Amino acid sequence: MLEVVITIGIMLVKMVIVLSVVMLMVAYVTLMERRVLGRMQVRHGPNRVGWQGLLQPIADGTKLFFKEELTVDKANKGLYHLAPVIYMGCALAIYAVIPFGNEIEVLGRVIPLHIADINIGILYVFALSSLGVYGLVLAGWSSNNKYSMLGGLRAAAQMISYELPLGLSIIGVLMLTGSLSMVDIVNAQEHVWFVFLQPFGFLLYLICAFAEVGRTPFDLVECDNEIVAGYQTEYSSMKFAIFYLGEYMHIIAVSAIAVTLFWGGWRGPFLPPVVWFIGKVLAFVFFFIWVRATYPRFRYDQLMRFGWKVLLPLTLLNIVVTALVTLII
Amino acid sequence: MAKTETLTINMGPQHPSTHGVLQVILELDGEVVVKATPHIGYLHRGVEKLAENKTYHQCITLVDRLDYLAGMSNNFSYVLAVEKLLDIEVPKRAQYIRIIMAELQRIASHLIWLGTHAHDIGAMTPLFYTFRERDEITFLFEMVCGARLTPSYFRIGGLASDLPDGFVSKATELMKLFPAKVDDYETLLTKNPIWMQRTKEVGILSAEDAVNLGASGPMIRGSNVPWDIRRSNPYSSYEDFNFIVPTGENGDCYDRYQVRIEEMRQSAEIVLQALERLPKGDINVYAPKVMLPPKEEVYTDIAALIHHFKIVSGGFNPPVGEVYSSVEAPKGELGFYIVSDGTNKPYRLRIRPPSFVNLESLPTMVEGSLIADVIAVIGSIDIVLGEVDR
Amino acid sequence: MNEDDITIRKLKEKFPDSILDITFFRDEATIVVKKEDILPVARFLCSDEDLLYDFLSDLCCVDYLKREPRFEIVYHLYSIKKNKRLRIKAPIPRNYQVISSVYSVWKTANWLERECYDMYGIGFEDHPDLRRILLADDWEGHPLRKDYPLRGR
């Protein structure tokens, strides 16, 4: 009985820690994005609130929290309120299966540094990130706004088209590991990171990940120059903030998955595993920001064509080649 | 059979990328534009009506505010029209300084165009780079006339003042550095596959359509019609300078982009040539009935004092007649048609706005393409609503 | 441009009855044409091999309040190939303020004629879409007319 209580207690503590770390990271990734973009664009970015602008996320959060909550007349109220929750909830749930460190020993107990090690881990991740699309589609549809609807439709089309190559791009890794569990995948990279065995698969994953989280050059879903703000046009106050948080959580999540699948997860010399993990994730986030500062945006039809006619065949090719190579060796 | 309906979407007048208060009603089939109807006039200030009630000198400040990104060019066109009416020619030095200002203004205007156009297509960084350089140019304007946006630097018969000390060296330095900056922008865009996909074959305007729709400036040159007023009807000593008139091939957004990029380089070249050969001498024509006399003379000479009083209080009376004069403004042919009835105010001041006429070709270019293309095309027309609506 | 210019010669030859007046001022030729004949004249100027005034630079109206005919529609033409400019005017009487649209010749005329309609209330026959362009649809009056007050309306 005591054992069960302790296990549940440890679980809860881990959840709280992961949740707060993720929230904190999201907050500071927004700051990092603005600062890094600023440096890349010959300006400073926010540097006035606190030392080097370190209190900026808190100020922004407070501001958004106290903003008036507006709901569009004739919006489908239930779905309108539910949409941001779905979106952020799904993004947050992904973190459950990500191993962010090795086992540690506390008071004679071995505690693995992941919340859950389910044997279909990677499948779970993709299932959740697909579910997250519902948040966007419902937000677009329920807002009673044409721009929102266009944004929602774009989101649906884009996510579905890119879900497929995204899933296929990691098949190579799964073939090498023989397991869907994230922990097993990290363990399989003890000697060599999969990015060296699957460089092509990694590139494909990266491109699809950009599309999946809707970042430049695939940010058509909320492309402000065309459809104002897409699905979130009519959202204000905390609901808007939740979408915003969800988006950044998604970015961090796909970065974390990329690290887990291709860059050896928490593995690395000298420094503690958690530091390695967070460092690698931040490197990816930096890359996302860098791309945002560099590239223009795709057009809707070009995006679809690219997904179906270029990425999908390439991922299939990658699988075939990987299979052949594994057979021969 | 399922019933299909088009979706009507109201883009603007408050929309992030309609460059001001342009409103376009789009009829969409999915994301394909079936019909685009621009609605303008949200910034109408009645400049033409106001001008009929102001003296010729007072109109200079009005025309500043037409294309507020190219105040110098507006001044230029207007004073040339009035000078044509009066039949006077300003001294060579003033002509050269005017060219320097007009070309700097062209660069500044094209820089804003490049930044906003790239931003519309999703590349946000060029905006900041182009504004950095544009700022340098507006600093130069501030040096010569104290204003950055609405200079009112040109006067009928000359200029408000001569170039200040240090202007030539500063401008030369800036213009020598400038081509390298253009290379920077091009690194980000020109060969970028996404940029090419977004602008090539988008918003095609054939040469025939361009002429028939009255497009001018980079719009018509992008459609491979090598017509540049600086070349075809050189005004203000443009014939003294060597420059290339770039043209595009297909008349799509990419061609217009390349034309404008090349124009910036050519303008920098012209400015350098003009700075180098800047003649010495007066900046104002000797025309006591039109030009204010120098301040010292006002204090010492009774005739000058009388002229000063007359011009300040009532302006001058040009002969009865009508003239049309146009210049190659950054956006295209900016013309002024002035009807004079012999009084000190223009009887009719008609502005031929390049943006207005260029915008007319928007429906031709976008119908049948996607929403995203509408944004790209609006950007590539380079409109300024202050000029469209006047 | 002067009397001997090919444009003037050809026009005189082709439309001897339509031309009311030809004047020159500051090197610019102004040809006043009967408003009934504006469309054939425009078509001729645009398409004739030797003239090719294919570019309608500007189209505007002038209100001579105290004169009859009161209005004048002014066309500024340009030939890109021949590099020549020409001004055509068509007087419009006070009592019947309508003229044929030249949209079929130069599509530029679409918005420019709408602006004339908006600002002066001149009607254009066969114009595809004659609505107000700059002012609101329910605006009263035509502001650029000389009898429209500058303020205090």
Side-chain angles (χ1 to χ4, degrees):
Chain A
M1 187 60 207
L2 185 68
E3 194 59 23
V4 174
V5 172
I6 290 177
T7 318
I8 291 176
I10 290 173
M11 208 63 160
L12 282 175
V13 169
K14 276 199 289 194
M15 277 173 177
V16 169
I17 291 175
V18 168
L19 186 68
S20 39
V21 168
V22 167
M23 281 303 200
L24 206 69
M25 258 179 92
V26 166
Y28 280 92
V29 162
T30 61
L31 179 68
M32 172 177 161
E33 161 139 45
R34 294 168 68 181
R35 295 282 296 178
V36 171
L37 266 186
R39 299 306 296 183
M40 287 175 177
Q41 296 172 342
V42 289
R43 57 194 175 90
H44 290 287
N47 64 352
R48 281 289 173 273
V49 190
W51 182 74
Q52 292 292 312
L54 276 182
L55 295 178
Q56 185 71 39
I58 296 160
D60 285 343
T62 320
K63 183 199 81 176
L64 279 170
F65 198 79
F66 285 107
K67 283 273 174 187
E68 187 187 353
E69 184 88 53
L70 292 168
T71 308
V72 195
D73 196 30
K74 297 212 177 107
N76 190 325
K77 297 276 168 5
L79 294 177
Y80 179 79
H81 293 297
L82 187 64
V85 180
I86 297 179
Y87 187 58
M88 192 174 92
C90 290
L92 201 53
I94 293 175
Y95 291 94
V97 293
I98 294 171
F100 45 89
N102 204 354
E103 293 161 341
I104 52 167
E105 227 181 271
V106 183
L107 303 172
R109 271 180 176 280
V110 176
I111 302 172
L113 284 184
H114 48 80
I115 295 177
D117 175 22
I118 44 179
N119 53 4
I120 51 157
I122 194 72
L123 211 56
Y124 166 85
V125 168
F126 286 120
L128 276 174
S129 76
S130 308
L131 272 179
V133 182
Y134 278 101
L136 307 187
V137 177
L138 290 177
W141 183 79
S142 65
S143 295
N144 189 29
N145 177 317
K146 287 171 185 168
Y147 285 114
S148 299
M149 196 176 82
L150 282 176
L153 291 176
R154 280 182 174 193
Q158 177 176 335
M159 303 293 156
I160 292 167
S161 320
Y162 279 80
E163 200 74 15
L164 214 56
L166 183 72
L168 291 175
S169 67
I170 56 153
I171 299 277
V173 171
L174 303 183
M175 284 160 113
L176 292 175
T177 322
S179 166
L180 286 169
S181 153
M182 302 286 260
V183 177
D184 289 352
I185 292 172
V186 177
N187 289 337
Q189 299 182 64
E190 196 171 344
H191 302 295
V192 55
W193 293 352
F194 283 154
V195 67
F196 301 114
L197 301 176
Q198 282 282 322
F200 201 54
F202 169 66
L203 276 180
L204 291 169
Y205 172 84
L206 199 63
I207 294 170
C208 297
F210 272 96
E212 184 68 18
V213 295
R215 290 280 297 188
T216 317
F218 302 101
D219 58 342
L220 297 107
V221 174
E222 52 191 281
C223 142
D224 54 337
N225 304 85
E226 290 159 26
I227 50 175
V228 187
Y231 58 88
Q232 55 186 353
T233 308
E234 294 293 356
Y235 282 89
S236 58
S237 184
M238 261 334 259
K239 287 208 287 287
F240 170 78
I242 287 175
F243 269 122
Y244 207 73
L245 291 179
E247 191 191 321
Y248 279 90
M249 269 177 202
H250 235 110
I251 293 168
I252 298 174
V254 294
S255 307
I257 295 165
V259 169
T260 314
L261 295 183
F262 294 99
W263 290 87
W266 41 262
R267 288 178 191 283
F270 312 121
L271 295 169
V274 178
V275 176
W276 267 109
F277 185 76
I278 292 182
K280 284 178 190 171
V281 169
L282 286 181
F284 266 94
V285 172
F286 177 81
F287 184 69
F288 272 90
I289 300 169
W290 187 12
V291 168
R292 182 175 178 197
T294 314
Y295 277 101
R297 181 186 298 126
F298 270 109
R299 201 171 66 200
Y300 181 62
D301 60 326
Q302 293 163 349
L303 172 103
M304 300 302 267
R305 205 177 306 139
F306 185 65
W308 291 102
K309 291 194 178 161
V310 180
L311 284 181
L312 192 62
L314 282 180
T315 46
L316 290 172
L317 187 73
N318 185 45
I319 294 171
V320 172
V321 172
T322 315
L324 284 177
V325 171
T326 25
L327 259 184
I328 293 163
I329 295 170
Chain B
M1 261 286 279
K3 195 172 136 231
T4 54
E5 266 182 64
T6 52
L7 173 74
T8 308
I9 194 171
N10 177 21
M11 204 166 98
Q14 275 145 31
H15 185 279
S17 48
T18 51
H19 294 237
V21 285
L22 171 67
Q23 182 190 19
V24 187
I25 307 275
L26 293 173
E27 233 175 80
L28 300 178
D29 177 15
E31 286 218 12
V32 179
V33 178
V34 181
K35 192 161 183 283
T37 321
H39 286 245
I40 58 174
Y42 289 93
L43 209 61
H44 180 60
R45 295 155 297 178
V47 170
E48 288 177 14
K49 181 82 176 174
L50 287 172
E52 289 172 8
N53 295 279
K54 293 200 181 302
T55 63
Y56 284 91
H57 270 305
Q58 287 171 334
C59 289
I60 294 176
T61 50
L62 277 183
V63 301
D64 268 345
R65 285 148 181 83
L66 291 175
D67 174 357
Y68 40 73
L69 300 180
M72 290 283 189
S73 305
N74 302 340
N75 282 182
F76 201 179
S77 183
Y78 173 72
V79 296
L80 279 179
V82 181
E83 281 162 12
K84 189 173 183 184
L85 181 66
L86 293 163
D87 202 15
I88 54 177
E89 197 182 21
V90 299
K92 211 69 170 166
R93 182 174 172 86
Q95 292 186 1
Y96 272 49
I97 294 176
R98 284 176 176 187
I99 285 180
I100 292 170
M101 294 304 155
E103 293 305 318
L104 284 173
Q105 188 73 78
R106 187 184 315 278
I107 295 173
S109 168
H110 280 2
L111 282 174
I112 292 216
W113 158 79
L114 176 62
T116 51
H117 183 39
H119 191 262
D120 284 348
I121 296 186
M124 58 192 304
T125 307
L127 183 73
F128 296 93
Y129 287 87
T130 56
F131 264 83
R132 179 183 62 190
E133 268 72 68
R134 176 184 177 263
D135 238 29
E136 295 298 322
I137 292 174
T138 48
F139 280 135
L140 289 178
F141 290 164
E142 201 179 349
M143 265 176 94
V144 295
C145 62
R148 292 158 60 92
L149 212 59
T150 50
S152 295
Y153 176 54
F154 296 4
R155 292 286 183 275
I156 294 154
L159 299 162
S161 60
D162 206 340
L163 293 177
D165 294 341
F167 177 87
V168 174
S169 60
K170 233 179 152 177
T172 312
E173 191 191 354
L174 181 65
M175 286 300 113
K176 285 216 165 116
L177 283 174
F178 188 70
K181 309 274 187 190
V182 181
D183 291 342
D184 278 357
Y185 317 141
E186 284 210 85
T187 318
L188 277 169
L189 299 173
T190 306
K191 289 269 155 54
N192 187 322
I194 302 177
W195 178 261
M196 282 161 96
Q197 278 192 29
R198 282 301 304 277
T199 51
K200 277 203 166 163
E201 311 277 308
V202 167
I204 296 177
L205 191 65
S206 68
E208 266 169 38
D209 276 351
V211 172
N212 202 248
L213 281 162
S216 53
M219 285 280 287
I220 199 168
R221 290 194 286 277
S223 300
N224 206 3
V225 180
W227 174 52
D228 187 321
I229 302 174
R230 292 176 293 173
R231 187 45 66 69
S232 67
N233 305 75
Y235 49 88
S236 187
S237 301
Y238 262 112
E239 66 275 7
D240 296 0
F241 300 99
N242 296 320
F243 61 96
I244 299 165
V245 176
T247 51
E249 277 168 25
N250 310 316
D252 53 17
C253 291
Y254 190 71
D255 282 349
R256 293 194 275 275
Y257 160 78
Q258 289 210 310
V259 164
R260 288 199 179 95
I261 290 275
E262 187 53 36
E263 270 186 29
M264 286 201 269
R265 295 180 195 277
Q266 295 301 327
S267 292
E269 191 56 40
I270 296 173
V271 174
L272 281 177
Q273 289 176 27
L275 286 167
E276 200 180 312
R277 301 188 213 149
L278 194 62
K280 297 237 173 334
D282 283 337
I283 51 158
N284 290 328
V285 70
Y286 179 73
K289 300 266 188 241
V290 177
M291 280 303 292
L292 287 175
K295 209 72 181 174
E296 314 84 74
E297 279 182 31
V298 178
Y299 293 135
T300 52
D301 182 3
I302 182 68
L305 180 66
I306 292 169
H307 282 311
H308 187 274
F309 177 74
K310 279 279 287 176
I311 292 168
V312 169
S313 57
F316 53 84
N317 296 5
V320 179
E322 52 197 315
V323 289
Y324 178 83
S325 152
S326 60
V327 304
E328 185 71 26
K331 269 93 187 164
E333 180 190 0
L334 174 63
F336 280 87
Y337 170 54
I338 300 176
V339 180
S340 159
D341 60 350
T343 60
N344 60 352
K345 291 166 184 161
Y347 185 77
R348 172 84 166 97
L349 181 93
R350 161 70 186 172
I351 302 152
R352 191 268 182 205
S355 297
F356 178 88
V357 184
N358 287 349
L359 185 62
E360 216 178 324
S361 46
L362 177 71
T364 318
M365 287 193 278
V366 300
E367 276 166 19
S369 54
L370 299 163
I371 304 188
D373 293 337
V374 178
I375 306 297
V377 170
I378 291 177
S380 81
I381 299 176
D382 189 16
I383 47 166
V384 164
L385 267 295
E387 187 177 71
V388 174
D389 296 344
R390 281 153 291 145
Chain C
M1 203 182 259
N2 55 36
E3 287 279 355
D4 302 332
D5 192 87
I6 184 158
T7 312
I8 310 233
R9 274 193 284 121
K10 277 208 137 184
L11 264 182
K12 273 186 176 163
E13 193 181 299
K14 181 98 184 174
F15 300 99
D17 302 331
S18 313
I19 297 175
L20 298 174
D21 189 19
I22 300 177
T23 51
F24 300 94
F25 182 71
R26 305 273 187 253
D27 266 355
E28 294 177 355
T30 307
I31 303 176
V32 184
V33 178
K34 275 189 196 157
K35 75 159 189 166
E36 291 80 11
D37 299 329
I38 189 67
L39 199 54
V41 169
R43 200 161 277 145
F44 174 73
L45 285 170
C46 178
S47 55
D48 189 87
E49 286 288 303
D50 298 323
L51 310 181
L52 283 175
Y53 286 97
D54 49 359
F55 190 88
L56 177 65
S57 236
D58 192 18
L59 186 160
C60 67
C61 182
V62 185
D63 176 8
Y64 296 99
L65 183 60
K66 300 192 178 101
R67 205 161 91 182
E68 185 59 40
R70 176 174 166 185
F71 296 103
E72 260 174 7
I73 301 284
V74 187
Y75 303 81
H76 285 98
L77 308 183
Y78 179 64
S79 164
I80 292 181
K81 294 209 181 65
K82 311 274 174 198
N83 192 17
K84 271 188 194 166
R85 284 191 184 276
L86 180 67
R87 183 184 302 129
I88 303 284
K89 285 189 182 181
I92 292 185
R94 200 172 291 257
N95 48 13
Y96 185 59
Q97 300 159 2
V98 174
I99 187 171
S100 341
S101 164
V102 292
Y103 175 73
S104 51
V105 185
W106 301 285
K107 285 198 207 126
T108 328
N110 183 356
W111 282 19
L112 294 171
E113 284 178 351
R114 275 176 71 186
E115 196 186 338
C116 279
Y117 165 72
D118 196 357
M119 294 297 166
Y120 288 93
I122 309 285
F124 289 89
E125 276 169 1
D126 300 325
H127 188 280
D129 181 24
L130 197 63
R131 287 179 289 128
R132 282 191 180 274
I133 185 165
L134 290 174
L135 302 177
D137 289 337
D138 55 353
W139 192 271
E140 278 171 32
H142 300 283
L144 274 181
R145 287 188 175 199
K146 287 284 178 185
D147 51 6
Y148 190 95
L150 183 65
R151 61 172 80 173
R153 186 176 146 265

